[in-house]
Amino acid sequence: MTTQTERSLVLIKPDGFTRGLSGEVLRRIEAKGYTLVALSIFTPDRERLAKHYAEHEGKPFYEPLMELMSGGQVTAAVIEGQRCIEGFRALAGATDPTVALPGTIRGDLGRDWGAKVQANIVHGSDSPESAKREIGIWFPELG
Ligand code: DAT
Ligand code: MG
């Protein structure tokens, strides 16, 4: 059986960026064998974040999430490889860093800080449809 190569959007969020974890996250992506296709560092504005997190609008953690994400620089990356969407989600670990398994990015490097939103270091697309949509938002030149 063959599997098509695919792309995923990865963000090292401001909490991860500020702690100097961009290199560690990118190291794990490359060590796993995925390829870096695009890389950019900037502070995202609310308009871009509202598009990115449209599915979460109205949830209790939405505003704190927007504040966290617009509060500093992010490292945005497009990665590539067969099943890299699923593969990066496995590298990232569970959304809640307290229960994310050791060995994962969130499990090894994240913790609960008592905030209204979980600061969990990374974002990764959760499906091919999300990846296509999110890559279009963060890297329109790749669309
Ligand atoms: P993921 O980033 O694992 O795909 P998500 O898309 O459901 O998780 O949520 C986006 C981000 O919002 C997540 O990385 C952290 C935060 N978040 C999600 N659910 C939360 C909750 N119940 N309480 C606090 N923060 C939450
Ligand atoms: Mg998500």
Side-chain angles (χ1 to χ4, degrees), residues 86-95 100-101 103-108 120 122-124:
E86 183 186 359
F88 180 77
R89 297 278 294 185
L91 287 183
T95 303
L101 291 177
T104 65
I105 293 165
R106 290 163 170 174
D108 285 349
N120 58 13
V122 286
H123 166 85

Side-chain angles (χ1 to χ4, degrees), residues 13 53 55-56 61 65 89 95 106 116-118 120:
K13 302 179 184 183
Y53 280 127
E55 65 174 308
H56 295 309
F61 58 85
L65 179 62
R89 297 278 294 185
T95 303
R106 290 163 170 174
K116 288 180 180 151
V117 64
Q118 290 294 348
N120 58 13

Side-chain angles (χ1 to χ4, degrees), residues 51-73:
K51 281 188 200 158
H52 178 77
Y53 280 127
E55 65 174 308
H56 295 309
E57 204 185 334
K59 294 182 184 172
F61 58 85
Y62 179 76
E63 270 306 319
L65 179 62
M66 295 291 276
E67 269 174 45
L68 172 76
M69 291 297 297
S70 59
Q73 287 177 291

Side-chain angles (χ1 to χ4, degrees), residues 5-140:
T5 192
E6 64 184 15
R7 290 180 172 184
S8 183
L9 177 85
V10 170
L11 302 175
I12 292 109
K13 302 179 184 183
D15 56 299
F17 186 96
T18 304
R19 288 179 54 206
L21 295 174
S22 296
E24 171 64 16
V25 171
L26 297 174
R27 186 194 67 74
R28 290 179 183 222
I29 289 167
E30 290 194 306
K32 178 79 174 170
Y34 300 135
T35 307
L36 295 173
V37 175
L39 206 51
S40 183
I41 296 173
F42 59 97
T43 302
D45 60 26
R46 274 190 74 100
E47 195 186 332
R48 189 187 302 256
L49 292 168
K51 281 188 200 158
H52 178 77
Y53 280 127
E55 65 174 308
H56 295 309
E57 204 185 334
K59 294 182 184 172
F61 58 85
Y62 179 76
E63 270 306 319
L65 179 62
M66 295 291 276
E67 269 174 45
L68 172 76
M69 291 297 297
S70 59
Q73 287 177 291
V74 306
T75 300
V78 175
I79 66 168
E80 187 171 79
Q82 283 80 2
R83 300 176 68 197
C84 71
I85 295 169
E86 183 186 359
F88 180 77
R89 297 278 294 185
L91 287 183
T95 303
D96 178 351
T98 299
V99 302
L101 291 177
T104 65
I105 293 165
R106 290 163 170 174
D108 285 349
L109 308 172
R111 54 160 285 191
D112 196 310
W113 298 93
K116 288 180 180 151
V117 64
Q118 290 294 348
N120 58 13
I121 305 170
V122 286
H123 166 85
S125 306
D126 63 9
S127 69
E129 297 71 33
S130 303
K132 190 172 169 18
R133 193 181 74 82
E134 292 172 1
I135 290 168
I137 292 168
W138 293 84
F139 293 93

